[in-house]
């Protein structure tokens, strides 16, 4: 089984003679040798593959066996396309474009690894997504009078940006791995799945976390105060109360008949840790 096309990886014509192979190998070794790329594991991996290919192509018997396997592989892969010169020309142009793209992917990825490694890019991306998540979490229970919803919008944008960078890092890593393989398979599936999972999964986690936070704080860190005002606007009930000289306006989902008796039958139960977390409680 042929796993790598060493001629493509060395960017030389198929079945090139030994002299061309040796010359190109030493040119690439100057670029990708581990001594030239400290702490770059992908460059080291790429150099190992190049060295593996050079050791095979350096041996006449191994080279002949490898060349036969490679020719058989491409002949089987391309035999159903041999139906006319025009189609062959189109296929050749497509192959050249794909080859240029493949080489660009390898070069760009390895250069990026020397500047800022994949591991650190991924850690930074996770931190960006997490910081956006926490901004939304810390400002979700906002005082509607103060209108601090801008924090939630900014936090959402930061979180989604971090999720995009996470998926992009996975995409670039998988693209590089695909580029150094002889059979270039589709490599974007994992990145797309990751982004969609984060995009739809994080709101669910966020909703559960917010609900759990409210439940814990109102169950174990709560106090009571009176309703200062309550009104119905557009079918929604809003109530106002004051904690430490700060007026707080919140919305409730419970159905209440608003009249003069409502102040005697309901009170505000709020969290002493975060007074914006509250609910209306009926007085028995």
């Amino acid at each position: 089984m042929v796993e790598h096309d060493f001629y493509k990886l060395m960017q030389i014509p198929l079945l090139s003679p030994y002299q061309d192979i040796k010359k190109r190998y030493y040119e690439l070794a100057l670029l990708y040798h581990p001594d030239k790329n400290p702490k770059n594991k992908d460059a080291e991996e790429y150099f190992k593959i190049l060295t593996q290919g050079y050791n095979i192509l350096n041996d006449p018997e191994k080279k002949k066996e490898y060349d036969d396997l490679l020719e058989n592989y491409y002949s089987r892969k391309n035999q159903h396309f041999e139906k006319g010169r025009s189609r062959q020309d189109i296929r050749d142009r497509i192959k050249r474009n794909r080859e240029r793209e493949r080489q660009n992917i390898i070069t760009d990825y390895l250069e990026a690894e020397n500047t800022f490694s994949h591991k650190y890019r991924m850690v930074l991306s996770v931190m960006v997504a997490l910081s956006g998540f926490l901004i939304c979490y810390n400002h979700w229970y906002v005082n509607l009078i103060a209108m601090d919803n801008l924090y939630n919008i900014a936090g959402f944008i930061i979180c989604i940006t971090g999720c995009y960078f996470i998926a992009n890092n996975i995409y670039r890593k998988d693209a590089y791995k695909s580029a150094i393989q002889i059979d270039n398979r589709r490599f974007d599936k994992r990145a797309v799945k990751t982004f969609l999972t984060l995009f739809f999964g994080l709101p669910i986690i966020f909703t559960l976390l917010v609900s759990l936070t409210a439940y814990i704080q109102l169950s174990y860190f709560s106090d009571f105060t009176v309703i200062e005002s309550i009104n119905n606007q557009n079918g929604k009930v809003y109530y106002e109360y004051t904690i430490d000289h700060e007026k707080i306006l919140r919305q409730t989902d419970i159905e209440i008949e608003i009249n003069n008796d409502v102040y005697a039958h309901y009170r505000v139960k709020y969290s002493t840790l975060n007074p914006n977390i509250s609910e209306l409680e009926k007085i028995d």
Side-chain angles (χ1 to χ4, degrees), residues 24-214:
R24 186 56 182 163
Y25 171 74
Y26 283 109
E27 289 175 352
L28 293 173
L30 291 175
L31 295 174
Y32 300 117
H33 193 280
D35 293 342
K36 300 284 185 179
N37 301 272
K39 299 181 181 178
N40 188 339
K41 292 184 178 179
D42 290 297
E44 181 180 352
E45 176 190 5
Y46 185 58
F47 179 73
K48 286 181 179 179
I49 295 173
L50 291 175
T51 303
Q52 177 190 4
Y54 177 73
N55 290 335
I56 291 174
L57 301 178
N58 184 37
D59 186 307
E61 293 185 2
K62 291 181 179 180
K63 183 178 186 301
K64 184 179 183 306
E65 181 180 354
Y66 174 80
D67 289 348
D68 290 341
L69 289 173
L70 197 62
E71 284 188 305
N72 288 334
Y73 170 81
Y74 283 126
S75 64
R76 289 196 306 271
K77 187 176 181 180
N78 299 329
Q79 61 183 355
H80 59 285
F81 289 112
E82 304 297 334
K83 293 183 178 180
R85 185 60 187 172
S86 59
R87 177 172 292 186
Q88 179 69 25
D89 291 341
I90 294 173
R91 184 164 59 86
D92 288 342
R93 286 197 297 270
I94 293 174
K95 286 175 64 176
R96 286 194 295 270
N97 290 334
R98 287 179 177 175
E99 179 60 21
R100 281 195 296 269
E101 181 182 357
R102 190 183 65 82
Q103 293 297 339
N104 289 336
I105 289 173
I106 294 173
T107 303
D108 292 345
Y109 183 83
L110 294 177
E111 288 179 353
E113 280 295 289
N114 286 332
T115 305
F116 199 52
S117 72
H118 171 81
K119 179 176 68 175
Y120 294 124
R121 288 199 304 270
M122 183 62 77
V123 170
L124 181 61
S125 300
V126 171
M127 290 177 63
V128 170
L130 184 60
S131 64
F133 185 93
L134 292 177
I135 289 173
C136 288
Y137 173 73
N138 289 331
H139 295 88
W140 186 252
Y141 294 103
V142 296
N143 180 352
L144 297 185
I145 295 178
M147 294 301 292
D148 290 334
N149 286 313
L150 181 62
Y151 287 104
N152 293 323
I153 297 173
F156 175 77
I157 293 174
I158 293 172
C159 183
I160 292 301
T161 301
C163 293
Y164 168 79
F165 284 138
I166 290 172
N168 181 258
N169 285 330
I170 294 174
Y171 174 86
R172 294 184 66 183
K173 181 74 172 182
D174 289 351
Y176 165 74
K177 288 183 176 179
S178 176
I180 64 175
Q181 299 294 324
I182 188 172
D183 192 4
N184 305 119
R185 301 181 185 275
R186 185 175 176 182
F187 50 80
D188 58 351
K189 289 184 178 179
R190 193 163 70 105
V192 172
K193 288 181 180 179
T194 299
F195 181 78
L196 292 178
T197 300
L198 292 173
F199 186 83
F200 292 106
L202 284 179
I204 297 174
I205 296 174
F206 181 83
T207 302
L208 294 175
L209 183 60
V210 166
S211 301
L212 180 62
T213 300

Side-chain angles (χ1 to χ4, degrees), residues 235-279:
K236 298 179 181 179
V237 177
Y238 294 90
Y239 60 95
E240 186 178 335
Y241 57 101
T242 301
I243 303 295
D244 295 333
H245 308 293
E246 180 184 2
K247 288 186 178 296
I248 298 175
L249 180 66
R250 301 298 296 161
Q251 177 188 336
T252 180
D253 294 328
I254 63 176
E255 296 182 1
I256 300 177
E257 183 179 351
I258 300 177
N259 51 43
N260 292 332
D261 294 333
V262 71
Y263 298 97
H265 293 294
Y266 286 91
R267 61 182 178 178
V268 177
K269 183 179 182 180
Y270 69 93
S271 167
T272 56
L273 300 179
N274 183 356
N276 289 317
I277 299 177
S278 66
E279 64 182 9

